[in-house]
Amino acid sequence: MEQQQPAVKQPQQSFDQVQRALEHPQPKSLSTRAFLLWGLGLTLLVVGLSLVAGSEVRLVGLLIFLPAIAASVGTVRQTQAASGWATAGAVVSIARAPGYHLDDAITLVLTLLFAGLAVFGARWRIARDTELLRLRSTAAVIQQHILHPLPEVTPQVRVDGVFEPLQEDKLFGGDIYDVAATPFGTRVLIGDVQGKGLSAVGAAFAVLGGFREAAHREPTLTGLVDALETSVVRHNAYARRSGEPERFITALVLSVDPLDRGTAQVVNCGHLPPFLVRDSRQPSQVRLGETGVPLGLASLVGEERSAAGFSFPPDSVLLLYTDGLSEARDGAGTFYPLAERLTALVKGADPASRPAPGTGSDEAPTELAHALRDDVRAFTHPYQQDDLAILTLRRLPATDRAAGSADTAGSTPPRRQEP
């Protein structure tokens, strides 16, 4: 039998909330108060200039810009109100100082025409924005099903983090992650699919599907990675036949041994090495030796992938991330100084917010991923250049692992990992 995973926190938005957002999307628009203040201010400005210039110069016709602007930022009703207001202003102006009949008629007809076009433009814009909002909401729901919500607790680690896809012209991000509590320990995947958009989703599904199945089947970490390689190769074969581009995936596949040895293993498939954070030491980048080729490219080299072991003691935190963090740039093109900023954030953390060693509190310092997210946002403001995925793995103390083992009693006994 497989291990039963402990309960995890629910995502912030329930399915019903997401469903309501899909059924009734609300594009952004001016508030009623802002619209009234803005319309009144523009009217007073135009009328004041008209009085200063003299009645023979009719500037009230400039009010036609009111519905034009409302059509670009307001609702349909606000645009209709602005159109009616501009038309009424034109009628009052003509009645107060009538001129040549043909000129007055042309002014009134053009005012009505532009007012009607403004209302039509507002309807078209809102329909387009609503469709785009519904499409983005659907993409967000699919993304939630692709990537499981965090935090997640296993007998060995507590996993938390943040994930933010780049939301410009791409609806799906290329960053992926997953966590599996297996008889062989906790296995974690983080990766970055080459490219973005819908064509990259197939490769993401292939890797995640392969991980979720093989993580519980393969006793060795290299066997798991070989299964992921096979999944990517098969996906690329289907993509090639259908005329879609082939993809490769940089990935880090990690396993935390169920035995109380304070170690972990990892196979690096062209991904960024993690950082180890401990209270008494400066955060350090884990040395994993030679980096392997990304998933999908193993046929280009003759060497087999190997697992590297490293120290991962209780109550320490392992930081996994994608290049959306390490390769973020500011306006001058300077890369985000990850090691420097990580050290500053860890040293600046409030010691009182940390759980006592050995308590295994679920209220562990999970703010690190969010603090990094906020820090890189400020560094790259106002633009986010790439998808961003940050995971923190806190190694649970022995007392917590014992409790987790009791919850999973009767499961298949773990087999040994590679030495």
Side-chain angles (χ1 to χ4, degrees):
M1 294 177 59
E2 294 179 0
Q3 291 183 347
Q4 301 293 324
Q5 297 187 26
V8 300
K9 291 183 179 180
Q10 296 297 321
Q12 293 181 350
Q13 283 190 326
S14 67
F15 178 79
D16 291 338
Q17 291 174 324
V18 176
Q19 186 68 21
R20 286 194 296 269
L22 289 175
E23 294 175 353
H24 305 287
Q26 297 294 331
K28 293 182 179 179
S29 61
L30 284 176
S31 65
T32 301
R33 180 181 179 183
F35 169 73
L36 292 175
L37 292 176
W38 170 67
L40 181 61
L42 182 59
T43 301
L44 292 176
L45 176 62
V46 171
V47 172
L49 291 176
S50 180
L51 293 176
V52 171
S55 60
E56 68 277 1
V57 180
R58 186 174 296 154
L59 296 179
V60 178
L62 293 176
L63 286 178
I64 194 58
F65 288 105
L66 187 61
I69 298 174
S72 63
V73 296
T75 64
V76 174
R77 288 187 177 181
Q78 289 173 349
T79 306
Q80 290 172 339
S83 299
W85 184 252
T87 302
V91 172
V92 171
S93 177
I94 292 173
R96 287 185 65 256
Y100 185 61
H101 295 299
L102 183 59
D103 290 344
D104 291 342
I106 291 175
T107 299
L108 187 57
V109 169
L110 289 178
T111 300
L112 291 172
L113 177 62
F114 290 149
L117 289 175
V119 174
F120 173 79
R123 291 184 184 277
W124 181 87
R125 175 187 62 82
I126 291 176
R128 181 200 60 185
D129 291 349
T130 301
E131 183 69 21
L132 182 59
L133 184 60
R134 182 179 290 111
L135 185 60
R136 290 191 181 278
S137 299
T138 303
V141 173
I142 296 175
Q143 191 77 60
Q144 286 182 358
H145 284 281
I146 294 176
L147 302 177
H148 293 160
L150 296 173
E152 185 165 351
V153 182
T154 73
Q156 287 81 39
V157 294
R158 173 183 171 89
V159 185
D160 203 351
V162 293
F163 171 76
E164 290 186 351
L166 180 64
Q167 295 183 352
E168 290 182 357
D169 58 336
K170 307 298 184 184
L171 298 178
F172 293 92
D175 292 354
I176 56 175
Y177 67 84
D178 207 350
V179 182
T182 75
F184 318 110
T186 300
R187 290 175 166 180
V188 181
L189 164 71
I190 187 169
D192 188 356
V193 181
Q194 177 198 15
K196 294 178 178 64
L198 292 175
S199 58
V201 174
F205 268 124
V207 175
L208 290 172
F211 177 82
R212 289 166 184 171
E213 192 276 330
H216 298 270
R217 184 193 69 222
E218 296 294 336
T220 64
L221 196 60
T222 53
L224 169 58
V225 175
D226 290 341
L228 299 183
E229 175 73 24
T230 302
S231 298
V232 177
V233 170
R234 287 175 178 170
H235 168 77
N236 284 337
Y238 286 118
R240 186 167 55 251
R241 287 197 293 270
S242 60
E244 296 182 359
E246 300 181 38
R247 306 281 181 175
F248 65 83
I249 297 95
T250 63
L252 202 68
V253 186
L254 182 140
S255 178
V256 182
D257 200 314
L259 301 179
D260 187 13
R261 298 191 302 186
T263 61
Q265 287 187 318
V266 65
V267 176
N268 189 352
C269 304
H271 200 73
L272 301 162
F275 278 86
L276 184 65
V277 180
R278 301 179 67 177
D279 289 342
S280 59
R281 302 180 185 179
Q282 182 176 351
S284 59
Q285 197 168 41
V286 179
R287 299 184 180 275
L288 302 178
E290 187 176 354
T291 301
V293 296
L295 297 173
L297 302 180
S299 60
L300 301 180
V301 297
E303 299 179 359
E304 295 184 355
R305 293 186 174 98
S306 59
F310 62 94
S311 175
F312 187 20
D315 283 323
S316 61
V317 176
L318 196 65
L319 177 71
L320 312 180
Y321 55 95
T322 59
D323 58 7
L325 178 65
S326 61
E327 296 183 7
R329 303 187 187 192
D330 61 10
T334 304
F335 285 104
Y336 179 70
L338 176 56
E340 175 185 334
R341 295 304 305 152
L342 177 60
T343 301
L345 290 172
V346 170
K347 289 183 177 180
D350 182 9
S353 65
R354 299 172 182 168
T359 61
S361 171
D362 282 345
E363 300 300 325
T366 59
E367 298 84 5
L368 179 58
H370 299 273
L372 279 171
R373 187 268 315 274
D374 295 339
D375 194 58
V376 76
R377 271 182 177 177
F379 184 81
T380 61
H381 182 77
Y383 303 111
Q384 177 183 342
Q385 295 98 9
D386 200 357
D387 306 316
L388 179 64
I390 307 173
L391 296 183
T392 56
L393 282 66
R394 185 177 74 88
R395 185 70 185 264
L396 298 179
T399 54
D400 287 359
R401 289 199 293 276
S405 299
D407 293 337
T408 57
S411 61
T412 304
R415 282 177 267 182
R416 299 183 65 86
Q417 299 269 356
E418 300 105 324

